Amino acid sequence: GFSADSLANRINDCHSKCVITADEARRGGKSVPLKSNVDKAIAACPQVTHVLVVDIGDTPVNTGEKDVVYSQVAATVTADCPCEPVGAEHPLFILYTSGSTGSPKGLVLPPVGIWYMQISLLRLCSIIGKAKCIGVLLMWGGLPGIRILSMVR
């Protein structure tokens, strides 16, 4: 996970009002407390009104006034979830660089970008064949696959 300062910088940069985190993560067989770093970070982010905490660990989640525990609210919602219409260039999410060479840069990904990635991946699968496509999907790992897809065009 990121340090509290790194999180605060990214949260403030994109003016986030809500932060989604897990209570902890597992790295090298050890528990990494993600929620405690978020708590430290949002102390410097006055615009944050809610923190959605996905409770995946075995320890109880320490909640504050802004916290919403996912397992508790997931049990209360219905399956009816209509889509919210947005424009093609509406910011879907921001993917930040590590910031290892200076200030982190945020790449805004709109819905049309995700649609383009899916279409490109389907095109890639039809070009290289089913067996190879499964290998690419396994290596893809999500958004870093943009580089693979753009080379195929």
Side-chain angles (χ1 to χ4, degrees):
F2 289 109
S3 70
D5 288 341
S6 295
L7 282 173
N9 289 339
R10 288 164 172 82
I11 292 167
N12 286 327
D13 183 58
C14 61
H15 311 287
S16 294
K17 294 180 182 175
C18 177
V19 176
I20 302 172
T21 187
D23 56 349
E24 63 182 40
R26 304 291 294 172
R27 292 220 175 102
K30 296 180 182 178
S31 176
V32 178
L34 302 177
K35 171 73 169 59
S36 61
N37 275 353
V38 170
D39 288 341
K40 292 173 192 168
I42 64 168
C45 306
Q47 76 281 4
V48 174
T49 58
H50 293 87
V51 177
L52 179 62
V53 184
V54 180
D55 46 337
I56 58 172
D58 296 329
T59 57
V61 178
N62 183 18
T63 56
E65 64 182 43
K66 297 180 181 184
D67 297 336
V68 178
V69 179
Y70 177 79
S71 62
Q72 294 172 1
V73 295
T76 65
V77 297
T78 66
D80 181 34
C81 185
C83 294
E84 180 71 28
V86 295
E89 295 298 322
H90 180 82
L92 184 60
F93 61 90
I94 302 173
L95 180 66
Y96 277 93
T97 63
S98 64
S100 59
T101 59
S103 178
K105 311 295 184 282
L107 172 67
V108 178
L109 291 170
V112 71
I114 302 301
W115 175 82
Y116 178 75
M117 281 181 10
Q118 292 170 339
I119 295 298
S120 297
L121 185 59
L122 289 172
R123 185 180 300 159
L124 174 67
C125 289
S126 68
I127 292 170
I128 66 175
K130 190 175 185 178
K132 290 181 184 174
C133 189
I134 292 171
V136 169
L137 285 171
L138 292 174
M139 292 178 1
W140 187 38
L143 295 174
I146 293 172
R147 288 185 222 134
I148 296 169
L149 297 176
S150 59
M151 291 183 339
V152 173
R153 288 192 326 150

